[in-house]
Amino acid sequence: MLYGQNRKSFTSVCHGQLGRYVIYSNAKEITRDNITQELGKALAIHWSNRREIEYLDRYYRGDQPIIYREKKVRPEINNKIVENRAFEIVEFFTAQDFGEPIQYVRRGTDENVSTLINRLNDFMFSEDKGAHDIELGRWRNICGTGYRLVYNDTFADIEMDEAPFGLETLDPRFVFVVYSSGAGKRPLYSVQQVKDEYDVDKYIIKTRNKKFIIQNGKIISENPNYLGINVIEYPLNERRIGRLEVVVTILDAINKTQSDRLNGVEQFIQAFMKFVNCEIDKETFLEMVSLGALNVKTVNPSMPADVSMVSSQLDQSQTQVSKDDLITAIRDVLGMPSREGNTGGDTGQAVYLRNGWDFAEGRAELDEPIFQKSERNSLRVVLKILDGKTDIRLKLSDIEIKVTRSKTDNMQLKSQVLNLLLTSGVEPDRAFKTCNLWSDPEEAYVESKPYLDAKYKTKDQIDSEAAVNKPPPEGDGTVD
């Protein structure tokens, strides 16, 4: 593969090994004595991952092998059509998971926690976390993993409701995390590759308590690291397999099919002219072509002369069937819904189930716990910063990470579910989270609480009524 050109197939680049390698180390602790040696071993694996990530990113952007195809027979007719289904795949799954911002909601029943979590959500909004999540989601879908940096924002103005922390989505081609090979597979250190003012590579390495900068194989800086490893990896799955690579051979086949269809049309239009048992010179042929007719003489009177076109037209209908089969295979493998419309007589829910949207939702739910695990690691750093700079004191166990998707589908059904839960006596905050009507159920509950308290009995009212109606103990307590 030439730099910047996806001339080979992806299976040739990755040698049939799909997914990115997870980098492990046998070291028990990272110190200045072993950091350069550990970095060298890790970079060898990372460079292999980076080559594949670069290929997949270029593939997503339209640099696909069909562009470099060479045709030996009639090379002048060589259409190179990129039907960029890779872009469609990545954008669909990114929109499905991050089209609505990730929200934090309260776990438990402590009302004071709701106020603190709302402030945390406000901080995330001020830091444009929704946009960062979308960029992170694209990388996860393209190459199977993504990285987020959570840093201490020393320029934040707390009084203006600015977050004391910052978020940044990192390019996975230039960052990685190394894990311990022991039990727990905990992160040992992170590595960021950056350029200095002279365009020379240097590596920023963060362990649990140290920050090293290495350049040209030497440690040029060593400082304490109070935030720990604040580069967090967000794998799409345990094996870091992206959406594209599992169907990349089918995507290549679609490009070939579409290109060959146009080649077939063009070759039919530009068919060769065949002369049988007759002779004609070039000048006479060109003159007769300009007139739109030919007058030829038979070379052998015993055999009739014939002039015709050498052509064989591609069966477009059969080609379309083959192409549709490839597209269906992609949707089946990835769990994407089809685009079929309502054929008449179907309800909206029936179309939802028939076209595979329910199956797509199930696939998305499989990815949620893996994302939430990484998100909790980010929250650990965020809460450490908030604990030192604000009056927000939250624990991870107080926060539930809510991955929301489309809130507009089946709104009537969701509203009926909410009403049923409330009238059945389910705690209102829990009912708001269960019905899946809002992207931020915590904020919706807090804003609706005065109206809910006016319509339904509060917990204090229920406890008070229970105390009043409590039956007296047996006997009057006197002695005969």
Side-chain angles (χ1 to χ4, degrees), residues 79 256-269 312-324:
N79 290 281
K256 291 178 182 178
T257 300
Q258 191 65 13
S259 299
D260 288 340
R261 288 178 73 174
L262 290 181
N263 284 346
V265 172
E266 193 169 343
Q267 287 174 175
F268 178 76
I269 295 172
S312 179
Q313 190 172 8
L314 188 69
D315 189 330
Q316 294 290 339
S317 62
Q318 291 299 320
T319 303
Q320 185 63 44
V321 170
S322 176
K323 179 183 172 183
D324 290 344

Side-chain angles (χ1 to χ4, degrees), residues 143-208:
C143 64
T145 192
Y147 294 89
R148 169 171 288 157
L149 173 67
V150 182
Y151 59 92
N152 194 342
D153 189 355
T154 57
F155 299 101
D157 182 359
I158 307 302
E159 294 180 354
M160 296 298 292
D161 292 331
E162 292 296 326
F165 59 87
L167 304 174
E168 183 179 348
T169 301
L170 302 176
D171 189 330
R173 293 172 294 183
F174 305 104
V175 63
F176 59 92
V177 175
V178 178
Y179 298 88
S180 169
S181 59
K185 303 291 189 293
R186 61 181 178 85
L188 272 180
Y189 63 95
S190 66
V191 179
Q192 294 171 259
Q193 178 185 344
V194 298
K195 299 279 188 182
D196 65 7
E197 63 271 23
Y198 303 106
D199 204 34
V200 178
D201 287 333
K202 63 180 181 180
Y203 299 93
I204 302 173
I205 299 167
K206 296 177 183 176
T207 69
R208 285 177 293 172

Side-chain angles (χ1 to χ4, degrees), residues 147-369:
Y147 294 89
R148 169 171 288 157
L149 173 67
V150 182
Y151 59 92
N152 194 342
D153 189 355
T154 57
F155 299 101
D157 182 359
I158 307 302
E159 294 180 354
M160 296 298 292
D161 292 331
E162 292 296 326
F165 59 87
L167 304 174
E168 183 179 348
T169 301
L170 302 176
D171 189 330
R173 293 172 294 183
F174 305 104
V175 63
F176 59 92
V177 175
V178 178
Y179 298 88
S180 169
S181 59
K185 303 291 189 293
R186 61 181 178 85
L188 272 180
Y189 63 95
S190 66
V191 179
Q192 294 171 259
Q193 178 185 344
V194 298
K195 299 279 188 182
D196 65 7
E197 63 271 23
Y198 303 106
D199 204 34
V200 178
D201 287 333
K202 63 180 181 180
Y203 299 93
I204 302 173
I205 299 167
K206 296 177 183 176
T207 69
R208 285 177 293 172
N209 49 29
K210 290 286 185 178
K211 175 183 176 181
F212 300 96
I213 298 179
I214 295 179
Q215 192 169 40
N216 296 324
K218 297 180 180 179
I219 299 174
I220 62 174
S221 174
E222 178 182 356
N223 293 293
N225 179 26
Y226 301 106
L227 290 181
I229 302 174
N230 59 337
V231 173
I232 295 92
E233 183 178 13
Y234 281 73
L236 182 63
N237 47 60
E238 294 84 353
R239 290 167 177 78
R240 278 73 171 169
I241 301 177
R243 309 279 188 190
L244 303 182
E245 51 199 296
V246 293
V247 294
V248 68
T249 55
I250 306 178
L251 295 172
D252 288 340
I254 290 176
N255 286 340
K256 291 178 182 178
T257 300
Q258 191 65 13
S259 299
D260 288 340
R261 288 178 73 174
L262 290 181
N263 284 346
V265 172
E266 193 169 343
Q267 287 174 175
F268 178 76
I269 295 172
Q270 299 182 19
F272 289 112
M273 186 166 286
K274 177 179 65 175
F275 295 87
V276 178
N277 198 32
C278 55
E279 293 181 355
I280 185 170
D281 58 74
K282 180 178 179 181
E283 291 75 12
T284 304
F285 172 75
L286 293 176
E287 180 182 358
M288 291 182 175
V289 167
S290 66
L291 296 174
L294 290 174
N295 182 15
V296 297
K297 295 180 180 180
T298 300
V299 176
N300 186 349
S302 64
M303 300 180 63
D306 179 42
V307 178
S308 62
M309 306 294 289
V310 180
S311 64
S312 179
Q313 190 172 8
L314 188 69
D315 189 330
Q316 294 290 339
S317 62
Q318 291 299 320
T319 303
Q320 185 63 44
V321 170
S322 176
K323 179 183 172 183
D324 290 344
D325 182 63
L326 293 173
I327 295 173
T328 300
I330 289 175
R331 300 194 186 281
D332 289 344
V333 171
L334 296 177
M336 294 176 65
S338 67
R339 299 293 189 269
E340 296 178 15
N342 194 325
T343 56
D346 287 348
T347 63
Q349 186 67 12
V351 174
Y352 181 85
L353 294 173
R354 185 194 66 215
N355 288 3
W357 286 96
D358 185 64
F359 186 64
E361 179 73 15
R363 284 287 190 91
E365 290 174 354
L366 284 178
D367 298 332
E368 281 188 20

